[in-house]
Amino acid sequence: MLGWYVLKRVSSLLPVLLVVAVVVFVIIHLTPGDPASVILGSQATEEELAKLREQLGLNLPIYLQFLQWFGGVLIGDLGYSIIMRMPVSEAIWEHLGPTVSLTLLAEGIAILVAIPLGIAAARNRGSWMDQMLMMTALVGISLPSFWIGLTLILIFAVQLGWLPSSGYQPLSNGLVNHFKYLILPAITLGIMQAALIARITRSSMLEVMNENYIRTAEAKGLKQRKVIYKHALRNAFVPILTIIGLSFATLIGGAVVTETVFNIPGIGKLVVNSVVKRDYPVIQGAVLMIAGAYVFINLIVDILYAYIDPRIRFDKN
């Protein structure tokens, strides 16, 4: 049954990716700008520009350009970078490591902070602690990530000198060095998601803690910690897992601003540089990859539902 469900969901990916591919391709090609002018510079003649456009296939009708590109995507070829002169898949792979490390660390920080705070707010409903935690979460959701990033740089890099203000060190240069460069951007990226997860955790826990089986467990004399973490949290975890999955996918796509602020050579910075230089194949490939990751993560979350709550079953129909 699970295999059938996964097969059905995977087959539904193709229409989603097709729509994303069409939208991204049309928007990019309707945006003003000429890759040939970027490559040759302002001193190039019209003849030189026309010759380069022909070499790059930019003078073809837009539907032919799309069919050529998407036909390659279907066989795993995302195209060739106009500016970097390398396969798009290779360019994405080179920049994927920093983004994955940053996203995992940010999501880890968000979960470790948000779930205990959400539970504490639910257990102390209506108290000053509940109000203070939810007010802090509201502030966390409201603050723009670039402002948080610049503030952290000012405090921890410029004033205190504890952490580097920008840059990236791969894992091969040492775990401590790796985290030292990623901790500020991960906090910047994770604050908003932590605030969102904390609010969902609180509301889910409040709903579950009013159920009769929780009162029965408390009446039987079970320890409060066991009631909360074994009975209440497990049954409240489905909506929390949903928001964790959505936030993880959002972090991958939303790392653009953070990677730019902290000068991290990830997918976000690759997309920004490609937009500035009108590197169409790289933009298309990167956005398609992010969309695919978003759909895949949601598929994983759907599968995990059945393991967290055995009442959920995958129906063939």
Side-chain angles (χ1 to χ4, degrees):
M1 196 68 73
L2 177 60
W4 171 260
Y5 177 79
V6 173
L7 185 64
K8 191 170 70 172
R9 288 296 306 272
V10 170
S11 64
S12 69
L13 293 182
L14 276 180
V16 174
L17 294 179
L18 177 62
V19 171
V20 172
V22 171
V23 172
V24 171
F25 192 90
V26 170
I27 290 176
I28 289 173
H29 283 75
L30 290 179
T31 306
D34 182 10
S37 300
V38 175
I39 295 171
L40 296 178
S42 58
Q43 303 299 321
T45 63
E46 279 301 321
E47 290 77 15
E48 291 172 330
L49 291 172
K51 186 177 178 182
L52 184 57
R53 288 190 195 108
E54 186 177 354
Q55 289 176 353
L56 298 175
L58 298 173
N59 57 345
L60 294 172
I62 190 168
Y63 72 92
L64 280 181
Q65 292 184 49
F66 175 78
L67 289 176
Q68 285 184 355
W69 172 70
F70 197 70
V73 170
L74 291 178
I75 58 173
D77 180 9
L78 294 177
Y80 200 81
S81 169
I82 297 172
I83 304 298
M84 292 186 285
R85 301 289 182 182
M86 63 191 302
V88 172
S89 54
E90 196 175 317
I92 291 175
W93 181 253
E94 282 186 2
H95 292 78
L96 190 61
T99 298
V100 170
S101 294
L102 175 60
T103 304
L104 289 175
L105 188 57
E107 187 71 15
I109 290 172
I111 292 172
L112 289 176
V113 170
I115 291 181
L117 292 184
I119 293 173
R123 291 180 64 181
N124 297 279
R125 182 184 185 183
S127 67
W128 65 268
M129 180 186 290
D130 180 23
Q131 294 177 8
M132 185 190 71
L133 290 174
M134 289 304 102
M135 181 64 72
T136 306
L138 186 62
V139 172
I141 293 174
S142 307
L143 292 176
S145 59
F146 73 87
W147 185 85
I148 298 172
L150 292 175
T151 303
L152 291 176
I153 289 174
L154 182 64
I155 296 172
F156 293 100
V158 178
Q159 298 293 336
L160 299 175
W162 290 352
L163 295 165
S165 61
S166 63
Y168 172 77
Q169 289 293 324
L171 199 55
S172 57
N173 287 353
L175 189 63
V176 174
N177 213 22
H178 183 66
F179 283 126
K180 191 176 173 183
Y181 277 84
L182 279 182
I183 192 67
L184 289 184
I187 293 172
T188 302
L189 205 55
I191 282 180
M192 184 181 292
Q193 306 307 324
L196 193 59
I197 295 170
R199 292 182 71 85
I200 296 294
T201 302
R202 177 186 179 274
S203 61
S204 299
M205 288 294 292
L206 284 176
E207 188 176 335
V208 171
M209 288 170 72
N210 288 325
E211 296 289 338
N212 290 331
Y213 64 88
I214 296 295
R215 295 195 190 98
T216 303
E218 289 174 336
K220 287 168 67 178
L222 291 179
K223 291 182 178 177
Q224 188 69 15
R225 185 182 183 86
K226 192 171 183 180
V227 173
I228 293 293
Y229 288 97
K230 185 176 180 182
H231 297 282
L233 181 59
R234 180 171 183 179
N235 287 287
F237 206 72
V238 169
I240 300 171
L241 180 65
T242 303
I243 201 67
I244 288 174
L246 289 174
S247 68
F248 189 75
T250 304
L251 286 175
I252 295 176
V256 174
V257 175
T258 307
E259 288 180 0
T260 304
V261 170
F262 287 93
N263 195 27
I264 297 173
I267 296 294
K269 196 172 183 190
L270 174 69
V271 171
V272 171
N273 290 337
S274 301
V275 169
V276 172
K277 296 175 181 175
R278 301 292 187 272
D279 198 345
Y280 295 157
V282 174
I283 302 170
Q284 294 160 184
V287 173
L288 198 63
M289 187 275 296
I290 292 171
Y294 193 93
V295 177
F296 180 73
I297 289 169
N298 278 284
L299 172 64
I300 298 296
V301 169
D302 285 352
I303 294 171
L304 288 175
Y305 284 161
Y307 291 97
I308 292 173
D309 189 346
R311 292 171 297 180
I312 299 175
R313 290 287 180 267
F314 300 106
D315 192 342
K316 188 175 181 179
N317 298 316

